Amino acid sequence: RQAAQVLSDVTRYTSIVTAPQAAKLRIKRLQVVPVSPGVGLMVIVTDSGIVRDTMINYSAALEPDHLYMISKMLTDKLQDLPLDRLRPALAEMQERLRDHNGLFDALMNAADVAADTTSPDDMVIGGPTNMLEYPEYSDVDKARVVLRALENRDVLAHMLRGSARMEFTVRIGPENNVPEMQDCSLVTATYRIGDNNVGTIGIIGPTRMNYGKVIAVLDYMGKSLSDILSGR
C-alpha cells in the first residue's frame, strides 16, 4: 500500500502493486504449533518474512514434544525450498511420517493452501483519480469508462499478465489488450526476493506520459522493495 501510494504521488499517474507471489517465496522455517488436542497451526516463515499459516487436524495422541521434533525435522528438510515445491517434498517424506498418517494428510492439504498464487485481491491501486488531472479524460463518459476499468481487479490482472517474467514492460494504447484502456499506457517493473521475481509494480497513464521518468521511478522502487524484502 505504501509503495502504491508513493508511486502515484511521485508520478501523478495511477499505480498498481501486486503482493509477492507465494509460490516463489522460499521456506525459512516450518512449525506445527499445538492449539488444542488434535488441532494445530502450521506456520511457514518465508525468506521475505511473510508468514503463511493454516489450521490442521491430526491425531490427539500426538504429544507436543513429538510435534516439536517433527517440526524441526521438516524445517531441516524443507529449508530454502520454494513454496510451490512444498507438496512434492512432503510426499517424498511420507515414509518417515508413516506413523502419523493423520498429520501427513493434514500437512499435504495445508501445503496447497500455503502455495496459493496471488489473486486479484492481492493487488493495490494507488491514485486512481489522478487520471482525471489530464485533458484526455476531461470528457465525463470517457473518464467514467477508465475509472470503472481501474476498479475491476480482474481487468487489471489481465493487463499485468506476463509482466512478472520481464524486468520492464511498456504497453502503449491498444497493446495493453483492454478495450476500455486503449487510450492509456502501462509501464511495469518487477521486484525480487533473492534471485526470484516475486511481484510487479506498474504505472497507468495517458499515452503521452513521461516514459523516461516513469521507468526511472519504477526501477528505483523495484530495487528498494527487493532490498527491503531480501533483508539487505
Side-chain angles (χ1 to χ4, degrees):
R1 289 191 187 94
Q2 290 176 332
Q5 189 61 53
V6 169
L7 284 172
S8 64
D9 287 347
V10 170
T11 63
R12 300 312 302 167
Y13 299 128
T14 298
S15 64
I16 307 176
V17 178
T18 66
Q21 295 287 322
K24 299 299 182 184
L25 302 177
R26 291 184 176 272
I27 298 168
K28 185 175 181 181
R29 186 170 72 255
L30 186 152
Q31 188 165 357
V32 181
V33 181
V35 175
S36 61
V39 179
L41 182 69
M42 185 183 82
V43 180
I44 300 175
V45 180
T46 66
D47 54 354
S48 69
I50 293 173
V51 175
R52 310 286 286 192
D53 55 71
T54 310
M55 297 297 296
I56 63 174
N57 297 289
Y58 48 82
S59 171
L62 196 56
E63 295 290 335
D65 287 346
H66 198 177
L67 205 56
Y68 171 78
M69 292 175 61
I70 292 173
S71 295
K72 187 175 183 305
M73 181 269 290
L74 289 171
T75 293
D76 291 341
K77 296 293 183 183
L78 301 173
Q79 193 170 29
D80 205 37
L81 201 69
L83 272 178
D84 59 359
R85 291 289 304 156
L86 176 57
R87 203 175 200 281
L90 285 172
E92 293 174 4
M93 288 188 280
Q94 184 173 9
E95 185 66 20
R96 297 191 66 175
L97 295 169
R98 64 182 182 277
D99 294 332
H100 310 290
N101 285 331
L103 177 62
F104 174 77
D105 292 340
L107 290 173
M108 290 292 278
N109 291 332
D112 291 333
V113 176
D116 274 348
T117 56
T118 301
S119 71
D121 291 335
D122 295 316
M123 182 186 299
V124 180
I125 315 302
T129 58
N130 284 353
M131 302 290 281
L132 302 181
E133 297 179 11
Y134 299 94
E136 289 91 334
Y137 308 104
S138 57
D139 180 272
V140 174
D141 291 333
K142 189 174 182 179
R144 185 182 294 115
V145 169
V146 171
L147 289 176
R148 189 178 297 123
L150 290 174
E151 291 175 353
N152 189 326
R153 292 172 186 270
D154 290 323
V155 167
L156 296 178
H158 177 71
M159 288 180 66
L160 290 176
R161 195 161 295 148
S163 299
R165 295 193 296 271
M166 303 176 67
E167 188 172 1
F168 287 99
T169 67
V170 179
R171 298 173 185 170
I172 300 174
E175 293 176 2
N176 60 47
N177 297 320
V178 177
E180 300 92 330
M181 309 287 280
Q182 63 181 353
D183 294 322
C184 303
S185 289
L186 169 67
V187 183
T188 70
T190 55
Y191 63 90
R192 308 166 70 86
I193 296 177
D195 296 327
N196 297 305
N197 291 345
V198 296
T200 302
I201 55 178
I203 295 294
I204 297 174
T207 54
R208 63 178 179 86
M209 75 162 71
N210 186 336
Y211 293 95
K213 176 183 178 180
V214 166
I215 290 174
V217 170
L218 288 175
D219 181 48
Y220 180 81
M221 179 62 77
K223 289 175 179 175
S224 297
L225 280 174
S226 300
D227 288 346
I228 290 169
L229 293 172
S230 298
R232 295 174 189 151

